[in-house]
Amino acid sequence: ATGSNAIDIGYRVTLDSWVNEAEGLARVQYRGTLWDAKVTGPRGTGTTFYIRGIDGGTLQISGEST
């Protein structure tokens, strides 16, 4: 997809808070607003995650950039 509404695959987002850490559900900062997110790849130890895709209004994120 192209245009201003395209989700930036590989874009770095910052963890704001965990909704349910055991299930990988979180809120992240992306484009100046909070988004629902689900960790679908390796979690890592920091607060930096990378967008892997989107499912509805939920970002799919991973703790690894590759």
Side-chain angles (χ1 to χ4, degrees), residues 24-49:
L25 302 176
R27 298 283 283 165
V28 297
Q29 287 280 351
Y30 171 61
R31 291 188 175 173
T33 60
L34 287 174
W35 287 66
D36 290 322
K38 180 169 178 59
V39 179
T40 59
R43 189 169 296 189
T45 57
T47 59
T48 298
F49 290 85

Side-chain angles (χ1 to χ4, degrees), residues 3-34:
S4 62
N5 291 329
I7 295 298
D8 301 310
I9 302 299
Y11 189 89
R12 188 174 67 200
V13 297
T14 302
L15 176 69
D16 180 74
S17 62
W18 288 106
V19 175
N20 186 326
E21 189 171 1
E23 292 184 13
L25 302 176
R27 298 283 283 165
V28 297
Q29 287 280 351
Y30 171 61
R31 291 188 175 173
T33 60
L34 287 174

